[in-house]
Amino acid sequence: MSTGQLFQCTTGDSTTRDNQYTMQTIEPRDIHSGSQILLFLNKHQISLRNLVLRFYEISQITIMPDSLMKAALLALWDILTDCPMQGGSTQLTEVVVHVFENSYKALVVTKLTTFEEYCCLITGASVRWETIANMLILAAIALLHLPDRYLDQLAINTSKPDLLSQLYEVVDSCLTLCNALPFMNELVVCLKYNQMVLTSLRHGDSSCHQAETTTTELPYFIGQLRRRCFAVVYSMDKSISTFLGRPPLINRQYCLLDPPIDLSDEHVNLHGQSPQNVQISVNPDGWNSDGKRNSVSLIRIRFLLASVREETMELCLSVDRDDLQQRSQRLLQKARSIWNNCPDYLRYHSNIWSEQLPYREIWPLFSVFLDYLYSIFLLHRIVAQNCRDKCSKLLQCAHDILSTLLVINQERDRLMDIKSDFSWIFLSYGLPSADALTVALLQQSPSDPWRASLLRAEIIRKLTVYISCLSWAAKPGRGNFEICKNIQTRLTQALDQVIDPRALTLGDADIMLTINPELVEPTFSSLGVVSYWDGINNWDLCWDLFDTSTL
């Protein structure tokens, strides 16, 4: 019977050198798992490197800065140099044990630690399982969204399904090893986030918040990394909670809501030892003075808008219905102030598609703008709850969302290069807007105030296009494909009734009852997209990092 390997590990805090040492045993199954992971890394070295680089080329919102990940990527395979790649070989086992030793050491970071020194702590000869796991997950996410025509360009000689299957198996093995690690650090936070994104893409979804208190003894770039981690997770929490119509898991009352500074990774890494060097590079609103869009710029604006979304959700879900009108108006002003004060390089406009910008840079601006409009939509719905005369702004906002969303239909051929599934965005933003407009058409009367600003024929045309988009928004085999078909059928029935009320048959009456009978029903379920249609409970959240995140 084989015995485990013994090695010495630390049990101290990651911010101090006062560590205690204990002996740790590596079970034979973990040695085997580690060997298989390293063999896979070596076999697919070029493909994996290209996929991670592709991920950072496509995604504009990433929880781990590309400067850090690319530096780690560059030296990731150093530990395999001169090591015979044969399962069970003594040298390979020694390398596996060495990675375990690295992973069971605390990341010792002081205020004087430089960016280059930090990189050396997580890769090369010091590579850790959490570094490898992050790389593998990013490669899997990139491969999921990769059109087949790019396989040769990225030196991927294995079929996409086969490589994905192997990646999933290796990722699961690596996560098992990482779950046993005794430390929490920035890499593990990033890993948990990336794991959640990949899990959501694979299976769907059924259902450092006060870092400033500990960052005074850390280098500035680590403090910014922690803010970035929290900002991405906080924003995603609000998006998922809105979609499901449930309270968020992260409450702002217990968090320091300080957004990450809007500077490039390179600037923070090189000049971030002194916060004063950073502050002179941003304007009073916290945006960079260079007028350049960084990946953290998008994280920052999403975070600021997410704080408004959380307060909006409180109004939608709370049992306290006092002063809803006044509180909603205050939040409307706050949301518009955030949007109006954000720099031009983060503003989406309808002509941006004809500018000389890569689609991978347009898409996050597009999705952030839709997110902003949807918060305005939710607030107008609260304002209109008990006053039908105030429905005009709600319906105008629903019309704006639908008009903006339908641009995807015109640009989808080129967008397919960076995305493989559009169901999330069509369901999250399009369905509530289509629902509001459809119900308004069904309940319309000649005296409705909104009829002066919105043409009935125009609304019907756009609803028709939206319904047709649901036929391709999700690919066959994806979790939301059947859901999109179901909604497409029901909306078509509703639109038939709008066009010709006599077309409603007795059998269709039950279908019509699935649409909210009141335009602005003040119930708990009125917030969530999942609650819009009775009998549909198989939603695949299909969270997409490239929409957010994604992120």
Side-chain angles (χ1 to χ4, degrees):
M1 180 177 178
S2 60
T3 58
Q5 296 276 339
L6 282 173
F7 68 91
Q8 183 174 267
C9 70
T10 58
T11 58
D13 183 83
S14 63
T15 60
T16 177
R17 296 182 185 276
D18 297 329
N19 296 313
Q20 298 176 343
Y21 293 89
T22 60
M23 297 304 295
Q24 182 73 30
T25 302
I26 312 175
E27 297 298 331
R29 64 176 179 274
D30 294 334
I31 293 287
H32 176 73
S33 294
S35 299
Q36 294 304 306
I37 293 168
L38 295 186
L39 288 170
F40 181 85
L41 276 178
N42 184 71
K43 179 180 179 181
H44 299 282
Q45 180 177 158
I46 297 176
S47 299
L48 293 174
R49 181 183 286 112
N50 289 340
L51 283 169
V52 175
L53 293 175
R54 164 81 179 180
F55 175 89
Y56 277 96
E57 177 187 346
I58 295 300
S59 181
Q60 301 296 303
I61 304 178
T62 57
I63 190 169
M64 185 171 286
D66 61 350
S67 56
L68 179 61
M69 188 52 79
K70 287 178 181 177
L73 184 68
L74 190 64
L76 184 66
W77 283 270
D78 289 359
I79 199 169
L80 300 179
T81 304
D82 301 327
C83 177
M85 287 294 105
Q86 299 174 358
S89 73
T90 301
Q91 287 178 276
L92 180 59
T93 300
E94 290 174 353
V95 173
V96 171
V97 172
H98 183 64
V99 178
F100 271 105
E101 290 174 342
N102 293 337
S103 305
Y104 274 80
K105 292 177 183 176
L107 284 176
V108 180
V109 179
T110 71
K111 193 171 184 177
L112 298 178
T113 301
T114 65
F115 174 75
E116 290 75 16
E117 290 170 341
Y118 185 79
C119 290
C120 291
L121 293 174
I122 65 172
T123 191
S126 301
V127 71
R128 308 166 67 92
W129 289 125
E130 57 262 46
T131 307
I132 295 172
N134 272 300
M135 296 290 186
L136 291 170
I137 289 177
L138 295 185
I141 293 172
L143 185 57
L144 267 171
H145 288 278
L146 187 70
D148 290 344
R149 62 180 176 276
Y150 288 108
L151 293 175
D152 290 340
Q153 293 182 27
L154 300 188
I156 298 175
N157 300 319
T158 309
S159 71
K160 183 175 175 179
D162 287 347
L163 184 55
L164 265 178
S165 177
Q166 295 174 47
L167 258 175
Y168 289 158
E169 184 177 347
V170 174
V171 164
D172 291 342
S173 296
C174 203
L175 288 174
T176 300
L177 300 182
C178 291
N179 289 337
L181 300 180
F183 301 114
M184 178 60 66
N185 55 50
E186 297 76 25
L187 281 179
V188 175
V189 173
C190 293
L191 176 60
K192 294 298 182 182
Y193 172 80
N194 290 329
Q195 177 187 359
M196 185 266 292
V197 171
L198 180 60
T199 300
S200 179
L201 288 171
R202 289 174 64 182
H203 307 298
D205 193 340
S206 59
S207 54
C208 329
H209 66 290
Q210 291 187 350
E212 294 301 315
T213 59
T214 60
T215 55
T216 53
E217 299 303 320
L218 294 174
Y220 189 79
F221 73 89
I222 291 293
Q224 287 302 305
L225 174 57
R226 292 186 177 182
R227 282 195 189 185
R228 182 181 180 131
C229 290
F230 177 71
V232 171
V233 174
Y234 177 86
S235 302
M236 175 177 277
D237 175 57
K238 305 306 167 286
S239 294
I240 294 176
S241 297
T242 304
F243 185 85
L244 297 177
R246 71 184 186 196
L249 297 177
I250 304 175
N251 192 311
R252 74 183 192 284
Q253 304 292 347
Y254 311 106
C255 306
L256 291 174
L257 295 182
D258 293 326
I261 223 77
D262 179 31
L263 289 175
S264 68
D265 302 334
E266 292 74 19
H267 190 107
V268 173
N269 296 341
L270 293 176
H271 306 291
Q273 296 301 324
S274 171
Q276 290 75 19
N277 293 337
V278 172
Q279 294 302 327
I280 61 176
S281 301
V282 297
N283 65 26
D285 293 322
W287 301 104
N288 77 73
S289 54
D290 296 332
K292 297 180 179 179
R293 183 172 61 253
N294 307 301
S295 62
V296 77
S297 307
L298 293 157
I299 293 174
R300 179 184 171 88
I301 186 61
R302 271 197 176 275
F303 179 70
L304 294 173
L305 292 173
S307 66
V308 176
R309 177 65 63 82
E310 181 176 0
E311 293 186 69
T312 301
M313 294 171 71
E314 289 176 4
L315 298 187
C316 293
L317 302 178
S318 175
V319 296
D320 179 10
R321 316 304 295 175
D322 295 335
D323 301 322
L324 281 179
Q325 302 284 332
Q326 293 82 355
R327 290 153 67 190
S328 300
Q329 290 293 349
R330 179 185 62 81
L331 281 178
L332 278 168
Q333 294 175 4
K334 182 176 179 180
R336 286 169 177 151
S337 176
I338 290 174
W339 186 255
N340 292 334
N341 288 330
C342 81
D344 290 340
Y345 54 79
L346 289 176
R347 299 285 191 87
Y348 169 84
H349 53 84
S350 57
N351 295 326
I352 198 170
W353 301 95
S354 59
E355 296 181 0
Q356 298 301 313
L357 268 180
Y359 273 33
R360 64 176 180 272
E361 295 183 24
I362 296 177
W363 182 258
L365 301 180
F366 175 77
S367 58
V368 166
F369 180 61
L370 275 174
D371 207 49
Y372 161 70
L373 286 181
Y374 190 55
S375 288
I376 300 297
F377 171 85
L378 292 174
L379 290 166
H380 278 311
R381 191 167 66 185
I382 295 172
V383 171
Q385 273 182 338
N386 300 310
C387 184
R388 189 173 178 82
D389 292 339
K390 294 184 179 293
C391 286
S392 296
K393 291 183 178 179
L394 169 66
L395 295 174
Q396 182 62 59
C397 188
H399 178 268
D400 292 344
I401 290 174
L402 204 59
S403 300
T404 302
L405 188 64
L406 292 181
V407 174
I408 298 176
N409 189 51
Q410 304 169 21
E411 307 292 340
R412 61 171 168 155
D413 288 342
R414 287 185 284 181
L415 283 172
M416 288 291 185
D417 281 350
I418 61 172
K419 289 186 60 60
S420 60
D421 189 289
F422 294 88
S423 60
W424 162 268
I425 202 163
F426 270 100
L427 295 176
S428 297
Y429 305 117
L431 182 55
S433 303
D435 179 79
L437 291 169
T438 303
V439 173
L441 290 173
L442 288 168
Q443 297 180 344
Q444 68 178 333
S445 67
S447 61
D448 282 335
W450 60 268
R451 289 174 61 88
S453 57
L454 293 175
L455 295 176
R456 181 175 183 271
E458 181 184 0
I459 295 176
I460 292 175
R461 281 196 299 271
K462 290 186 176 178
L463 285 172
T464 303
V465 176
Y466 174 74
I467 291 170
S468 70
C469 289
L470 294 177
S471 65
W472 55 261
K475 291 184 176 181
R478 289 292 183 95
N480 287 332
F481 178 72
E482 292 299 326
I483 303 299
C484 286
K485 286 179 59 179
N486 194 326
I487 293 174
Q488 187 179 23
T489 300
R490 297 185 180 199
L491 271 177
T492 299
Q493 295 281 357
L495 203 54
D496 287 346
Q497 171 68 6
V498 169
I499 296 171
D500 183 5
R502 295 171 300 177
L504 181 65
T505 65
L506 184 61
D508 294 330
D510 292 337
I511 293 177
M512 290 306 303
L513 291 176
T514 64
I515 300 178
N516 291 341
E518 299 295 334
L519 182 61
V520 283
E521 182 182 6
T523 64
F524 177 93
S525 65
S526 65
L527 172 68
V529 175
V530 172
S531 305
Y532 264 89
W533 301 82
D534 296 336
I536 298 179
N537 53 16
N538 297 319
W539 292 85
D540 176 1
L541 186 57
C542 195
W543 180 263
D544 189 342
L545 185 63
F546 304 121
D547 277 348
T548 58
S549 74
T550 112
L551 218 329

